[in-house]
Amino acid sequence: MSGRIAVTGALGFVASRLFPRLPGAPRPIAIVRPGHDAGALAAFDVEVRRCELAAPTPDAFAGAEAVVHLAGMSLATALVPAWEAAGVERVVCVSSAGVHTRLPSAGAEAKRRGEAALAGSRLQWTVLRPSMIYGTPRDRNLVRLLRWIARCPCVPLPGGGATPQQPVHVDDLVHAILAALERREAAGRAYDVGGPEPLSLRELVAECASALGRPAFVVPVPLAPAWHATRLLRRLGLPWPVRPEQVLRLAESKAVDIGPAMADLGFAPRVFRDGIRAEVSELRNAGHGA
């Protein structure tokens, strides 16, 4: 990719790993919502542009040959017309493997609408659907689990933790993004991206505990009572880190087929044991106390 690249979600942790690996010339464009502090982007040689992504204007993407969209697939419905009007040719969007859920989900449905808008456009598009993303102190998934295990060896798991998971390291996702930008054969395709093989949630907890050098004991919790309790806590407005929908999704397999991404994008993700040990090392080096 020799043209200019714009990146939405520029303040997120995926973008923080992507910017150092983008070509330095021409300068990438970092799209930031109005009112958000863009000071963290001073570490990268990027041009900051402000844009309200729910009501975008083509000017924000003027001069960009390609866009990497990290700000949420649901926003693509509004962004596609702006990208087309700005003359963008190539778009790589990060969606979510959560679109495969069979449960009622407003979030998954909004992502599906975004993917459909992209598929109906004139753009050369690629959609990447990562499973659970991990790998930095800023991830919103495994950091909370690591901190829990560091404080308490008992880990309650609705359903006992038998459901397959397939987390993907953020740097492996970035590799897939870069490959999708370069490989024209990826245009018009959607790829699931995850780790090299599934592991149960119970096994995931054990690997996290091993990386921390801490014991962890799984406490099975029946799924239905866990869902009702979570629903009640959320209705009462009490602080609770998961939604009822997320509890139910613990009974759904998170395994994904990464074969097409391996074939078309050269995707070769690291094993979870190596990835989570690297994340624990980053947490400790950053003083997060895991």
Side-chain angles (χ1 to χ4, degrees), residues 83-162:
W83 292 334
E84 290 181 325
V88 172
E89 297 178 10
R90 189 81 176 90
V91 176
V92 176
C93 291
V94 175
S95 182
S96 167
V99 299
H100 299 309
T101 184
R102 296 181 180 179
L103 296 168
S105 168
E109 190 55 41
K111 290 180 178 69
R112 293 182 194 119
R113 287 195 297 269
E115 291 191 13
L118 200 62
S121 74
R122 301 189 303 270
L123 300 162
Q124 298 176 32
W125 59 268
T126 300
V127 170
L128 301 176
R129 297 172 179 152
S131 56
M132 180 193 302
I133 306 171
Y134 75 102
T136 84
R138 295 177 61 197
D139 87 51
R140 292 172 292 182
N141 296 304
L142 292 181
V143 165
R144 287 184 292 185
L145 176 59
L146 290 168
R147 287 176 175 160
W148 178 284
I149 296 171
R151 292 192 301 264
C152 175
C154 296
V155 183
L157 291 182

Side-chain angles (χ1 to χ4, degrees), residues 247-273:
V247 174
L248 291 179
R249 287 210 69 215
L250 289 175
E252 277 194 321
S253 172
K254 308 298 190 306
V256 295
D257 179 8
I258 65 171
M262 294 173 71
D264 292 356
L265 305 177
F267 184 60
R270 70 203 69 195
V271 298
F272 182 70
R273 175 173 296 181

Side-chain angles (χ1 to χ4, degrees), residues 145-147 149-150 207-214 280 283-284 290:
L145 176 59
L146 290 168
R147 287 176 175 160
I149 296 171
E207 290 290 1
C208 288
S210 176
L212 288 167
R214 299 271 296 175
V280 167
L283 281 164
R284 287 173 170 159

